[in-house]
Amino acid sequence: MPNKTAKPAAKATVAKPAAAKAHPAKAHAAKPAAPKAPVAAAHAKAPAAAKPAAKPAAAPKVEEKKVVTQRQGFKANEFVVYPAHGVGQILAIEEQEIAGAKLELFVINFIKDKMTLRVPTAKVANVGMRKLSDPALVKKALETLKGRARVKRTMWSRRAQEYEAKINSGDIVAIAEVVRDLYRSESQPEQSYSERQLYEAALDRLSREIAVVQHSTETEAVKEIEAQLAKSPRRANAKAEAADGEADSDAEGDTDDTDGDDTTVADEAA
């Protein structure tokens, strides 16, 4: 009996080391496989991590334009006189690139003409752009309208050129002289088409500047101009000259009658 029981105990003791050997072998075999998984994962994740690393191209920066409010003594929103077009308003002073060069420009709007003009700030003196006349100069221009017309005895084409030069000079007094010389009242002979055109151009330039300076309408300015023209001495003289002309014609008629009578008497005496 004791021998039978001892054999199974020995088998058990022999089986244990076999089981122990199998277990470490499994553990040892699993060890090399374990690190492969993280390496593969690392390699798989590496390209995915590289994609976000490439930053998208940055959008081009838009340079903000500098807002300029004053140049050459002129300000934005100010009314000015441009000789070739009359009174206009500076809407803005902007910078533009033309042929690779940057230029500062006055943007001038002429409301009545429905026109916008861009003038380089460096050339305002060359084009004759100026500020509005002061009230004292406007008063002088209105006084000029009351003077006697000075019409040269030259060909009309030559006088027309002189009038155009005065109108486009931008000088308010010179423009008033054109209005004075070309004005015709109802009692005077009608103007030719070219005379009327020049008169209306000069009247328009003068009335627009007076209206802006005096903060009135152009209609009111035209009425004031015509009132000053009516005070000109030639208006009163025109009536006097007309009366003198009628008197002279009557006197010439009387003289003719007298001569005829004298002739008759002489004939009869003969």
Side-chain angles (χ1 to χ4, degrees), residues 80-96:
V80 294
V81 175
Y82 191 85
H85 302 290
V87 178
Q89 185 178 19
I90 299 176
L91 298 181
I93 304 172
E94 64 182 21
E95 188 179 87
Q96 288 187 358

Side-chain angles (χ1 to χ4, degrees), residues 2 25 31 40 45 47 68 82 86-87 101 107 123 128 133 158 166 169 173 196 205 225 250 254:
K31 280 181 182 178
K45 290 180 180 178
V68 183
Y82 191 85
V87 178
V107 182
K123 293 187 177 181
S133 302
R158 194 168 187 178
K166 284 185 175 183
S169 69
V173 176
R196 188 69 185 173
R205 296 283 180 88
I225 291 169
D250 293 341
D254 294 341

Side-chain angles (χ1 to χ4, degrees), residues 88-252:
Q89 185 178 19
I90 299 176
L91 298 181
I93 304 172
E94 64 182 21
E95 188 179 87
Q96 288 187 358
E97 187 171 340
I98 301 174
K102 290 185 178 180
L103 288 177
E104 279 188 343
L105 305 169
F106 288 113
V107 182
I108 307 173
N109 182 37
F110 299 88
I111 300 174
K112 191 170 183 178
D113 299 330
K114 296 180 180 179
M115 177 181 67
T116 301
L117 191 67
R118 284 172 170 79
V119 182
T121 58
K123 293 187 177 181
V124 291
N126 295 338
V127 299
M129 193 172 88
R130 65 171 176 82
K131 291 180 174 289
L132 292 174
S133 302
D134 55 30
L137 193 57
V138 170
K139 184 178 180 180
K140 183 179 179 181
L142 291 172
E143 290 292 328
T144 301
L145 298 173
K146 296 190 295 185
R148 187 182 297 276
R150 298 177 182 178
V151 180
K152 294 181 180 179
R153 293 184 178 181
T154 57
M155 293 180 64
W156 164 246
S157 59
R158 194 168 187 178
R159 282 188 290 137
Q161 290 178 353
E162 293 178 359
Y163 289 144
E164 285 180 358
K166 284 185 175 183
I167 293 171
N168 294 324
S169 69
D171 185 350
I172 190 172
V173 176
I175 295 172
E177 290 174 356
V178 177
V179 174
R180 177 198 65 194
D181 295 346
L182 292 179
Y183 176 73
R184 296 288 183 274
S185 63
E186 294 179 358
S187 61
Q188 291 178 307
E190 294 184 359
Q191 293 173 312
S192 65
Y193 177 78
S194 56
E195 282 181 323
R196 188 69 185 173
Q197 290 291 101
L198 287 173
Y199 171 74
E200 289 179 353
L203 180 64
D204 180 68
R205 296 283 180 88
L206 184 60
S207 61
R208 284 165 70 177
E209 185 166 1
I210 291 175
V212 176
V213 173
Q214 296 183 347
H215 303 287
S216 61
T217 64
E218 287 187 36
T219 303
E220 293 172 345
V222 169
K223 288 181 179 179
E224 184 175 4
I225 291 169
E226 290 177 347
Q228 295 297 323
L229 288 168
K231 296 177 182 178
S232 172
R234 69 173 178 174
R235 307 295 174 251
N237 292 340
K239 293 180 180 179
E241 288 173 1
D244 291 342
E246 291 176 359
D248 292 340
S249 61
D250 293 341
E252 289 175 0

Side-chain angles (χ1 to χ4, degrees), residues 11-58:
K11 287 180 183 179
T13 55
V14 173
K16 282 182 182 179
K21 285 180 182 180
H23 185 273
K26 288 181 181 178
H28 182 70
K31 280 181 182 178
K36 287 182 181 179
V39 172
H43 283 295
K45 290 180 180 178
K51 287 182 181 178
K55 294 181 180 179

